[in-house]
Amino acid sequence: MAKKEKKLSEHSSEELRVKYEEACRDLFNLKNEYRLNRQLKKPHLLNYTKKQIARILTFAKIKQSQETKGEIK
């Protein structure tokens, strides 16, 4: 069985940073594939990856504000 992934809100700041880097790398690779071939096998992944990056940044900002206020969970 596959291990169920935690929700973004349950990740630590460091884990969110790692996920952000992976998502940015994925987006970069998708854009390069499109530039080289002028087509993508799964074009929906561009929008999905951009939205995932936005979600990660949102939760990272929430975590950062909680840490500065002293509300660490």
Side-chain angles (χ1 to χ4, degrees), residues 14-73:
E14 183 64 25
E15 290 172 327
L16 287 173
R17 187 186 62 77
V18 170
K19 283 196 149 304
Y20 172 74
E21 290 175 359
E22 289 173 1
C24 286
R25 194 173 306 116
D26 290 342
L27 182 61
F28 177 78
N29 290 335
L30 286 168
K31 285 182 176 182
N32 275 341
E33 183 182 338
Y34 177 73
R35 287 182 187 129
L36 290 174
N37 302 331
R38 286 292 175 208
Q39 66 181 7
L40 288 174
K41 293 177 184 172
K42 298 180 181 178
H44 67 280
L45 289 180
L46 275 174
N47 284 335
Y48 174 79
T49 306
K50 288 178 188 178
K51 289 178 183 180
Q52 190 66 15
I53 289 171
R55 286 185 198 102
I56 292 168
L57 290 175
T58 300
F59 281 107
K61 188 173 243 183
I62 291 170
K63 288 267 186 200
Q64 183 182 18
S65 68
Q66 287 176 347
E67 288 173 356
T68 57
K69 290 181 182 179
E71 300 173 4
I72 302 174
K73 291 185 177 181

